[in-house]
Amino acid sequence: MKSLFKRYTPFQIAMHIYAWSALVHLIIDFFTHNLTANPIQAMEQRTGRHAITLLVLSLACTPLNNIFGWRELIKRRRALGLYAFMYATIHVIIFVDLDYGLAWSLIVQTIIEKPYILVGMLTFLMLIPLAFTSFDIWKKRLGKNWKRLHKLVYWLAPLAVLHYAWGKKGDFFRLQGEIILPLIYAIIVIILLIMRMPQVRKALASVRDRILVLFRRRGPQPKANTP
Ligand code: HEM
């Protein structure tokens, strides 16, 4: 146990436990028939929610590091993004295989008829290159283009939220129906994207520096040397 805590930080352990336990929970619920009257829909919804949650968490790493100076978050960004991709892939497999039985013409028809599915597909297609090029070797190979490519994440998160909100029955403007959770995700994504704007980043960094100075002043003062 001691060596586990030496090798991994508490945040790292919590992140891996969350990511894997959600999958184990889903598998147990599937085999124990604990997944509502429509188990395929329940699995689709749960994997979709885990994918979007992990995606938003990975998007939050940079702004939170900018505010709190918590450098570890930058190191965890990739794992969170890859876990998001893992859940999105399971989500898509459930849709094409369990839900539509690999009936490709029906799948294409659904994509055309339901715009929120089209948005989900676009989100997934954007996630694929990000996941595969997230490793250091690709960072080196792609050079400046790596940063350009990974800016896709700014489109990806809003698209994922749009897919989520559009698939729900409700009215965003009248705040009616099942829109509360998608709305919360939308607000978080908007705040995170605003926090990445250069002017906002600068303002937040200066606030952080001022708070740090204040804390240092209030901290224990060095004792005067008494002869
Ligand atoms: C080809 C790509 C995709 C397809 C075909 C697809 C399909 C679906 C379908 C059919 C549902 C509705 C389930 C229901 O309520 O009956 C759904 C919901 C959802 N999807 Fe996707 N999806 C795709 C990609 C994604 C991606 C990439 C994400 C996130 C990163 C995502 C996140 C969600 C979320 C959060 C929900 C709502 C879950 C809930 O109702 O609580 N989807 N998706």
Side-chain angles (χ1 to χ4, degrees):
M1 198 70 176
K2 246 185 184 176
S3 70
L4 183 81
F5 277 99
K6 263 188 195 163
R7 277 183 67 184
Y8 301 102
T9 65
F11 181 82
Q12 216 174 348
I13 295 171
M15 176 186 76
H16 291 303
I17 288 179
Y18 163 65
W20 289 109
S21 63
L23 185 61
V24 171
H25 190 200
L26 188 70
I27 293 171
I28 292 174
D29 281 350
F30 176 73
F31 284 108
T32 54
H33 307 286
N34 233 343
L35 278 170
T36 75
N38 188 343
I40 293 175
Q41 185 187 40
M43 285 198 291
E44 245 165 24
Q45 290 177 338
R46 266 161 72 165
T47 48
R49 279 199 301 271
H50 288 309
I52 200 168
T53 305
L54 288 154
L55 188 69
V56 170
L57 285 176
S58 78
L59 190 71
C61 290
T62 306
L64 289 182
N65 168 55
N66 290 342
I67 298 179
F68 301 111
W70 189 6
R71 300 242 1 116
E72 182 183 354
L73 292 179
I74 300 298
K75 291 187 200 155
R76 306 296 159 240
R77 218 171 23 178
R78 177 169 62 195
L80 287 167
L82 284 171
Y83 277 131
F85 178 64
M86 177 178 96
Y87 277 101
T89 308
I90 300 171
H91 179 68
V92 175
I93 291 173
I94 292 169
F95 174 78
V96 295
D97 192 355
L98 297 187
D99 205 356
Y100 279 76
L102 300 177
W104 294 104
S105 59
L106 199 61
I107 291 171
V108 172
Q109 197 186 327
T110 311
I111 291 173
I112 296 167
E113 279 172 6
K114 295 186 178 170
Y116 86 93
I117 301 278
L118 183 69
V119 175
M121 197 188 70
L122 272 180
T123 316
F124 187 63
L125 289 180
M126 283 161 93
L127 254 176
I128 296 172
L130 293 193
F132 281 97
T133 60
S134 66
F135 300 95
D136 290 340
I137 183 159
W138 279 103
K139 215 173 184 176
K140 275 188 204 148
R141 271 194 200 172
L142 292 174
K144 272 186 182 170
N145 288 332
W146 190 88
K147 262 199 161 172
R148 270 187 218 139
L149 178 70
H150 280 253
K151 280 193 175 150
L152 272 183
V153 76
Y154 302 138
W155 292 94
L156 225 152
L159 277 179
V161 173
L162 182 64
H163 166 67
Y164 187 0
W166 213 344
K168 288 285 171 200
K169 289 182 189 82
D171 189 331
F172 248 92
F173 299 102
R174 290 194 188 130
L175 291 179
Q176 280 171 354
E178 306 167 321
I179 48 97
I180 296 300
L181 257 182
L183 194 65
I184 291 172
Y185 277 91
I187 292 169
I188 294 173
V189 167
I190 291 170
I191 293 173
L192 292 175
L193 292 181
I194 291 176
M195 281 164 75
R196 278 170 177 257
M197 288 162 71
Q199 302 94 321
V200 179
R201 255 167 67 175
K202 262 190 191 168
L204 287 173
S206 84
V207 171
R208 183 192 67 200
D209 292 344
R210 265 184 244 162
I211 293 173
L212 281 178
V213 169
L214 212 76
F215 268 106
R216 272 184 209 132
R217 273 198 208 140
R218 283 197 180 170
Q221 301 291 324
K223 280 182 193 159
N225 276 341
T226 42

